[in-house]
Amino acid sequence: QVQLVESGGGLVQAGGSLRLSCAASGRTLRNYHMGWFRQALGKEREFVAAISWNGGSTYYSDSVKGRFTISRDNAKNTVTLQMNSLKPEDTAVYYCAADSAPWFREPSAKGTYDYWGQGTQVTVSS
């Protein structure tokens, strides 16, 4: 089993940047496809970005495409979400998630992922 811990959240003004990290313990992340999701107050958890196990494929929601970048460093057992040009509507709790299946069939689906972190709050003020 892999334990995921997110960090890097905080309060930022609109137009600013934040860098979220997801660290793993218990297992190497090299074996997992990884995703980032977010959940705003009163809303469903939604897909943000995902990356295949070797970093060869990345996926983004339309709402963050061109502003957010997902990357991974398997040697350091971390996945990063660089968030630029932040907007108030990006305010949410951000979760990283791991998928242990060999094939990354539905990167944007919550049900694809086996393990989840506890989340980190991102607040963007206008």
Side-chain angles (χ1 to χ4, degrees):
Q1 188 163 350
V2 61
Q3 288 81 44
L4 303 173
V5 178
E6 303 92 339
S7 62
L11 174 64
V12 64
Q13 287 189 329
S17 298
L18 279 175
R19 187 178 181 90
L20 304 184
S21 292
C22 176
S25 61
R27 293 275 179 91
T28 173
L29 279 183
R30 189 188 312 273
N31 301 323
Y32 297 87
H33 308 296
M34 299 296 296
W36 283 96
F37 287 73
R38 66 188 181 187
Q39 187 166 15
L41 198 62
K43 295 189 176 181
E44 294 287 321
R45 191 171 298 189
E46 65 174 7
F47 170 72
V48 175
I51 188 167
S52 59
W53 73 272
N54 62 353
S57 297
T58 56
Y59 310 84
Y60 297 93
S61 69
D62 288 342
S63 63
V64 308
K65 200 172 295 183
R67 300 187 297 123
F68 291 11
T69 303
I70 189 171
S71 60
R72 66 189 302 158
D73 185 338
N74 286 340
K76 294 183 178 179
N77 231 24
T78 58
V79 177
T80 298
L81 184 69
Q82 177 66 43
M83 306 188 296
N84 298 329
S85 302
L86 283 161
K87 304 175 181 179
E89 51 263 45
D90 294 317
T91 295
V93 177
Y94 282 70
Y95 300 89
C96 72
D99 168 28
S100 62
W103 304 108
F104 207 13
R105 277 173 283 199
E106 290 189 72
S108 63
K110 293 188 295 290
T112 292
Y113 299 87
D114 307 298
Y115 305 102
W116 293 82
Q118 293 300 305
T120 185
Q121 177 70 47
V122 171
T123 303
V124 185
S125 63
S126 56

